[in-house]
Amino acid sequence: MLTLITGANGFIAAHCIAALLRAGHSVRGTVRTLEKASATVAALHAAGVAPLDRLEIVVVADPTDLGQFAPAVAGCDAILHLASAFTYDAQPGQFEQQLLLPAIQGTTVACEAAQRCPTVRKLVIMSSFAAVYDAAQGLQPGRVYTEEDWSPLGYEEGRDTENVAIAYRASKVLAERAAWTYVKEHEVDFQLVTLCPGMVFGEMIHPIASLEQLNASNRIVWEVALGGRDALPPTKAPVWVDVQDLAETCLHALTTALPSHQRFLVTEGAYDTQEIADLLREAIPTARERVPEGSPGDRIRDTHYACDAGKVRQMLGVQFRSLRESIVPLVEQLYAMEDGARI
Ligand code: NDP
């Protein structure tokens, strides 16, 4: 199977490439510049990802342009669409250009390219728990989210908000909705699978030159591990999954015969910053010196909503590792980077 992975230089994409190659498949990855192409191959090589002769990286400068994107899809059996801006750096007034349009247009172009290419049988799109839950409802203790739930955020709310997190969540739900609208309105020859993971944590094998470039979700763990403050940071979006387990989920989504188009919630469960602190202080001597103690053992999970990820476990047979197994190697890596080691 040859799979096109968009945004191949990203945190999650690198693990997806590793999982597909390990399982005997071939990968063509898209990046936006030549520099990112060579940096991606170098980082995967350094991380021991193999065999790299079944990986090809191509440059698609603007993946929202069908004319540029479609040739990259030629001959592929599947598309795994990951490229999307996951950043909280955009400023009010820029959200439409920097978050909404690239996400929506990139997803629509992925659908159009899949439909145009006769060999493509599956399109797997990385949506998000952000496209599922309604953050405006607050913590909602007792509420259990499933694949039936949709964020109510609309285009204008994402464009006009002052809050970048709202704009990001809008970009994800609108992009996923665009894909479902596409398959509803067209007689498509491919199967659509959308994945909605919670916050994704774990060790990094993608190109990252310094801690300043740390991706948004691992930054949550780093804010605890960094220490240097009296109290632990508050917990945001308290639902998580490990990056390698998410990559395995992508592999299964691409290779498992499914009865129809599917949407999956992908999460191990709840986490909070106190749990991150407890696990790090227990496992890593440096963390014991740096991370505030907080109130060891206190958990917020009964105070907020939960997720039912039974469908992905059952239909795709995915197992999830523990928070400890995910974040301890990550923080050891981050402390090493701080000491000057580079990936
Ligand atoms: P990264 O920031 O590591 O990677 C993002 C990728 O998207 C990069 O390849 C980047 O390329 C590309 N990209 C960014 N902006 C644009 C744009 N405007 N147009 C085209 N490509 C762009 O993110 P993750 O690996 O964490 O995320 C990958 C996907 O998973 C995203 O769709 C994200 O929304 C989703 N997701 C992530 C979660 C997480 O916790 N990490 C949780 C739920 C969903 P470049 O380097 O050229 O900017």
Side-chain angles (χ1 to χ4, degrees), residues 40-104:
T40 301
V41 174
L44 293 173
H45 178 73
V49 173
L52 288 181
D53 58 351
R54 279 199 267 103
L55 170 69
E56 174 194 7
I57 301 285
V58 297
V59 176
V60 178
D62 181 2
T64 64
D65 175 355
L66 183 60
Q68 290 185 42
F69 184 73
V73 181
C76 289
D77 304 293
I79 300 175
L80 173 55
H81 178 54
L82 294 167
S84 201
F86 183 14
T87 171
Y88 296 135
D89 290 340
Q91 299 300 317
Q94 304 173 336
F95 297 157
E96 184 173 32
Q97 293 303 323
Q98 293 198 1
L99 293 171
L100 300 190
L101 290 176
I104 299 164

Side-chain angles (χ1 to χ4, degrees), residues 48-49 78 106 125 127 133 146 191 207 215-216 220 246 255 288 316:
V49 173
I125 290 180
S127 184
Y133 82 120
T146 72
Q191 198 170 53
N215 64 291
I220 292 172
L246 179 58
T255 54
R288 214 164 300 136
L316 297 184

Side-chain angles (χ1 to χ4, degrees), residues 7-13 32 36 63 82-86 98 102 126-129 168 172 197-200 206 215 217:
N9 58 318
F11 163 55
I12 298 171
R32 294 198 285 174
K36 287 177 182 176
L82 294 167
S84 201
F86 183 14
Q98 293 198 1
M126 192 61 73
S127 184
S128 171
F129 182 59
Y168 170 70
K172 293 307 288 182
M199 283 295 172
V200 185
H206 67 295
N215 64 291
S217 50

